[in-house]
Amino acid sequence: SSSDNGSGSDSDSGNAPRRRSTDTPALAPAAAAIPGAAAAPAVAPPSAEEIARRRRMLDAEDAEKRKRSAPMTPAEYEKEQSELRHVLDPETGRIRLIKGTGEVMEEIVSKSRHEQINKMATRGDGAFFAANMMKRV
């Protein structure tokens, strides 16, 4: 207050004792703090089954992370390297033979199949080149 002289006396102008910084204010119930507001519903703690389900889920995620960060066993490496798949290159229209980890392999084919592949690839290369030229113009 403006009449406070800083003496710290509790009897200044008949006011109640000042609150010290170490005093904690009394907490009012939530409904009383906001007029017209209803009390918040109590949240029930999770059931034992819910806790067990969450633990299983977290354990499964941890196991996946450990497996991803662990080095491959020789058997896993051989299995991955033995996979070959044909993948279409969307830009050029070429079909490529890809080994497990992404290495591009050559495929042994007959002479007639080789000529057929070259014709298709040349057509695809031409279409790709023409499309890129049209974008630049």
Side-chain angles (χ1 to χ4, degrees), residues 71-91:
M72 280 189 209
T73 64
E76 289 171 332
Y77 178 77
E78 287 300 320
K79 180 182 176 196
E80 186 177 89
Q81 290 301 314
S82 66
E83 282 183 14
L84 293 174
R85 61 189 189 279
H86 287 76
V87 177
L88 174 68
D89 183 353
E91 290 183 346

Side-chain angles (χ1 to χ4, degrees), residues 83-131:
E83 282 183 14
L84 293 174
R85 61 189 189 279
H86 287 76
V87 177
L88 174 68
D89 183 353
E91 290 183 346
T92 62
R94 294 178 187 258
I95 297 177
R96 303 189 186 279
L97 185 63
I98 306 293
K99 191 175 182 178
T101 56
E103 181 182 355
V104 178
M105 305 296 293
E106 286 189 32
E107 189 172 5
I108 299 173
V109 294
S110 67
K111 184 174 181 169
S112 61
R113 177 72 179 131
H114 177 74
E115 288 173 355
Q116 184 184 13
I117 291 171
N118 270 350
K119 284 180 185 177
M120 287 174 31
T122 302
R123 218 176 288 130
D125 289 345
F128 178 71
F129 178 76

Side-chain angles (χ1 to χ4, degrees), residues 18-81:
R18 280 195 236 152
R19 184 173 297 213
R20 292 186 300 241
S21 62
T22 57
D23 292 344
T24 56
L27 298 176
I34 303 171
V43 177
S47 66
E49 292 124 15
E50 178 65 15
I51 292 171
R53 185 188 68 78
R54 289 179 185 173
R55 281 191 183 141
R56 283 192 306 271
M57 187 172 69
L58 291 173
D59 289 343
E61 288 174 3
D62 286 344
E64 286 179 30
K65 283 181 186 176
R66 283 193 303 273
K67 184 161 177 66
R68 282 190 302 243
S69 62
M72 280 189 209
T73 64
E76 289 171 332
Y77 178 77
E78 287 300 320
K79 180 182 176 196
E80 186 177 89
Q81 290 301 314

